[in-house]
Amino acid sequence: MQTDMLVDWDAFTQARSELGAGFVRILGYFQEDGIKSVAAIEVAMRAGSAAALVLPAHTLKGEARQFGAEPLGVVAEKIETIARTCVEKRDAPDAALEHVVGLRELFESTMALLLREANPLVERRPTGFGRRAVGGM
């Protein structure tokens, strides 16, 4: 997946606006939680434990979507849905393997983009609002 498709920048900007001064701190919590969630998902998958997949996938899904990381949220949701179905059927979560395999790379690529954009030293993309017109006042 192309990196420009990993984040919905409108949703990211909205989250930044809504979270205000706490934005960077909360993004840091997402990074910490995400690292733990990805690791827990990998451990659960290796153990073949559908039940152990549910909570970290659910957590990752919600937090990713809060910051506009929709592709990450979609993959986490697929893992969660498969895991819940497997728990109900008392089955191994083998169908989640294809999603778990690329999860860490997707998370890391997404976090790199989010952190780069959140860095106060990064030049922001011009939005058009508030820019002085050429030759204008």
Side-chain angles (χ1 to χ4, degrees):
M1 180 174 288
Q2 296 177 343
T3 58
D4 60 341
M5 311 234 1
L6 294 179
V7 178
D8 174 345
W9 294 112
D10 291 336
F12 177 87
T13 302
Q14 181 178 348
R16 174 182 260 161
S17 175
E18 290 173 359
L19 296 171
F23 176 79
V24 173
R25 178 177 43 83
I26 295 168
L27 181 61
Y29 294 154
F30 168 50
Q31 182 179 23
E32 291 172 13
D33 290 347
I35 290 168
K36 291 174 188 171
S37 292
V38 169
I41 288 167
E42 291 170 341
V43 167
M45 192 70 221
R46 280 192 291 277
S49 175
L53 283 170
V54 175
L55 184 58
H58 178 78
T59 300
L60 186 61
K61 172 189 71 176
E63 291 182 349
R65 287 183 167 154
Q66 178 182 5
F67 290 100
E70 189 60 26
L72 180 59
V74 167
V75 171
E77 181 175 30
K78 287 178 182 177
I79 294 168
E80 178 188 7
T81 301
I82 291 167
R84 288 183 187 279
T85 300
C86 290
V87 167
E88 290 171 12
K89 294 182 176 182
R90 298 175 189 234
D91 200 3
D94 298 337
L97 182 60
E98 68 179 285
H99 304 294
V100 173
V101 167
L103 184 63
R104 180 172 294 278
E105 183 178 341
L106 177 59
F107 173 74
E108 289 173 355
S109 297
T110 302
M111 279 309 308
L113 289 173
L114 294 174
L115 292 171
R116 183 186 74 207
E117 190 66 22
N119 184 336
L121 302 177
V122 172
E123 183 177 334
R124 302 284 172 238
R125 292 184 279 264
T127 61
F129 179 79
R131 288 191 293 169
R132 178 181 275 175
V134 178
M137 307 170 137

